[in-house]
Structure formats: C-alpha cells, structure tokens
Amino acid sequence: MIIDTHQHVFWHGRDDAGLIADLDEHSIDLAWLLTWEIASTEDSPAYHHVLNPEHLRPDGTHAGIVLADLIKARDRYPDRFVLGYCPHPCLGDAPALLEAAHRMHGARVCGEWKFRMLFDDPRCLNLYRKAGELGMPVVLHLDVPYLNDKATGRPVYQPNWYGGTVANLERALQACPETTFIGHAPGFWREISGDADQAASHYPEGPLAPGNRIEHLLERYPNLYADLSAGSALRALKRDVAFSRNLLERFQNRFLFARDYYGGELMAFLRQMDLSDSAWSAIVHGNAQRLVPLDAETVPASTMTLS
C-alpha cells in the first residue's frame, strides 16, 4: 500500500476524477485530502490560477481549498480519500468547527494549517489542543517572514509567510505535547542545513552545514513528524543524498510519503535511495496508518490483505 499524506483536490487544473487518475497512474492507493482556508486579508492573486474558480468571492479574493469540495470528492471515492480540514483560527470558533467536521463529516486530519499568523498564537494552540483531543494530526505549512538579501545580508520581508519561524514551531510543540504535528513546506525543509538562518532563498542549495534543526526537533519532540511533499522536501533531500538517506533511516517512523501535487518524481527518488525494507514500509504507508488508522470503508479493496 502507498498513502499520499498531503494532497488537494480541484487544484492545479484537476478535479477529483483527475486526481484519481493521477493516483492510479502512480499506484497510490489512498490520499489525505487537505483544505486551505484563505481569509480575505491573506489572499494572494498569484495562487488564483491553481484554485477552483467557483470559490472566488465577490470582492475578488479567493476562499481557497474549501471543505465542501473535499467532502464531495471523498463521497464520490470513499475508499480512496481520507478527509482533512483545518479551520482558520481567526474566523469563528475554530476548535468547535474542527470538532463538528470530525463528528459530522468524518474528518480525520487537521490540515492544512496555512495562515498568516504565528504557530504559537494562543488561538492556534487552542485549535491544536482540540485536534490532539480528537486524535487528528496537524499538518503545518511553514514559510518564514524574512529572507536575507544576497548583497547586504539584511532581512527582507516576505509577504506570503505562514507560521513564523522554526522557533515558533518549537514553542507550539512544547505547548501541545499531546498533539501530533507534521512539518511541511520551504520554511521547514530549509532547516535540513545548519545555516538556514543565512539563506537568501526559500529553496537553499549547496552542501549542508552542520547543526541542522530538523534532527534537533525530531530528537527532542516525539510529537513531531514531517511529510516529504512538494518541491521543498525533494530539493532538501537532494542536497546531500547520503545524509538524507541516513536521516530517513534513523527517523523512519517519523517521515511520511506525500506529494502536495501530482507526478512520480518523489517516488522515483525514494526508490533510488535504496532504503531498508522497514524504512520504506514505514514511510510509504505504515506511519500514515499509525497516525490515522484505516477502517474497512477507507481501505481500497485491492489492498485489504496487505500490511
């Protein structure tokens, strides 16, 4: 079995049938579908071309990847999708909305958390604690608010930031030890190198410097996992393949196969890494099944006998 733990629907030009076709093409049995609620004050028109135009607001801002689309897709393909949902912590009673989605619609994952606020904002902590109470892992998108200017070294503000810094992530991990978090996105994966704070790009390249924070966080916080989705993870892993293989082997019970898009580039790279059987099984399905146990209704019939 292969589980894609970070996926969206009605996204990048594909509807739910298009996503199923892509899963089939790459022999992926199941996908976690995640929302992305966009407040009108956080809208970025640069994303509009990859989102469902049905959800454009009258004021020209976009509502994002909404729960209703995910429910529609899950109900059409109940044995292929696990429902996720993350309400905006600033809009309404987010913990109550999360619990309602869990009880009414069977949401199993709190994600994607992708908002222009700090991870350790009290309103976010309340949401995380509810997710922990409900047994829902929280998928966090981290994009830092500042990058260093290449010429001067001075910090340059990044308007499309989400979560703050790895320090804000660490405080959330400390504040909510009963909640499982899944790190994701450029701000998280740049921490594979110890010189991340000096980076002038969201996607740093070149040799890795010692003292990376990803290992530090995984060692210190058993409630932290990481998904391998999007170009951010793949680019980070390719910076030093030998180091990355050792990292995946050492923390094999904490990494999750995930794409956030389509295609087979990540799977091909993981196969080339020649991981141990135990690491491979844990990453491509075992860890996901441990975090979100599957019942008979959500296990594809073709895999019912597989471990």
Side-chain angles (χ1 to χ4, degrees):
M1 173 179 275
I2 300 175
I3 301 176
D4 183 348
T5 62
H6 190 130
Q7 197 52 263
H8 302 291
V9 71
F10 297 97
W11 164 250
H12 279 277
R14 295 199 187 207
D15 60 9
D16 48 355
L19 176 55
I20 289 292
D22 175 78
L23 297 177
D24 289 344
E25 179 182 353
H26 299 287
S27 302
I28 296 171
D29 299 281
L30 200 70
W32 292 2
L33 294 183
L34 308 179
T35 59
W36 175 24
E37 288 198 347
I38 304 176
S40 58
T41 54
E42 297 177 358
D43 181 65
S44 176
Y47 283 107
H48 286 188
H49 73 288
V50 303
L51 296 167
N52 186 348
E54 288 185 328
H55 304 301
L56 189 71
R57 299 186 182 100
D59 65 358
T61 64
H62 202 286
I65 302 171
V66 303
L67 179 61
D69 277 355
L70 273 63
I71 293 172
K72 182 192 304 183
R74 190 277 312 273
D75 289 351
R76 286 176 177 168
Y77 304 96
D79 65 339
R80 302 301 297 278
F81 294 135
V82 170
L83 185 67
Y85 169 58
C86 187
H88 198 300
C90 293
L91 303 178
D93 186 338
L97 289 168
L98 182 67
E99 184 164 13
H102 176 73
R103 302 200 184 284
M104 291 182 188
H105 301 294
R108 307 288 304 281
V109 179
C110 180
E112 179 175 3
W113 188 106
K114 187 177 181 181
F115 310 115
R116 204 147 301 136
M117 57 192 306
L118 301 177
F119 285 139
D120 54 336
D121 183 292
R123 293 163 293 185
C124 296
L125 298 181
N126 287 338
L127 177 63
Y128 306 151
R129 287 171 180 141
K130 176 57 69 173
E133 176 188 319
L134 298 171
M136 302 172 71
V138 182
V139 181
L140 298 174
H141 182 115
L142 174 56
D143 264 313
V144 295
Y146 293 95
L147 292 175
N148 289 339
D149 182 85
K150 288 184 178 180
T152 67
R154 293 178 178 176
V156 179
Y157 178 68
Q158 306 298 305
N160 288 333
W161 66 271
Y162 304 100
T165 68
V166 72
N168 298 103
L169 170 59
E170 185 163 15
R171 286 193 286 272
L173 292 167
Q174 293 168 348
C176 303
E178 304 304 318
T179 301
T180 296
F181 294 93
I182 301 172
H184 151 75
F188 180 84
W189 277 102
R190 73 178 198 152
E191 298 294 343
I192 199 170
S193 184
D195 58 358
D197 288 344
Q198 285 72 55
S201 167
H202 290 289
Y203 302 99
E205 298 179 344
L208 300 182
N212 80 86
R213 294 190 185 105
I214 287 182
E215 278 188 297
H216 162 78
L217 293 173
L218 291 171
E219 288 171 347
R220 190 166 183 179
Y221 303 101
N223 57 328
L224 176 65
Y225 290 66
D227 79 33
L228 303 177
S229 67
S232 54
L234 189 56
R235 291 184 189 197
L237 295 175
K238 286 182 174 181
R239 291 177 69 179
D240 186 328
V241 176
F243 173 85
S244 297
R245 185 184 186 281
N246 288 335
L247 182 70
L248 295 183
E249 287 285 352
R250 182 182 174 197
F251 296 100
Q252 60 184 259
N253 293 326
R254 310 281 284 285
F255 287 105
L256 300 154
F257 176 77
R259 297 184 302 158
D260 197 14
Y261 190 61
Y262 315 115
E265 189 176 3
L266 173 64
M267 181 61 73
F269 177 76
L270 292 176
R271 291 188 186 280
Q272 293 170 5
M273 294 185 82
D274 192 27
L275 296 168
S276 65
D277 290 344
S278 63
W280 175 267
S281 296
I283 291 168
V284 302
H285 71 87
N287 297 334
Q289 288 179 285
R290 190 173 70 254
L291 294 180
V292 181
L294 303 178
D295 54 35
E297 293 181 358
T298 53
V299 177
S302 61
T303 63
M304 284 290 286
T305 62
L306 299 182
S307 60

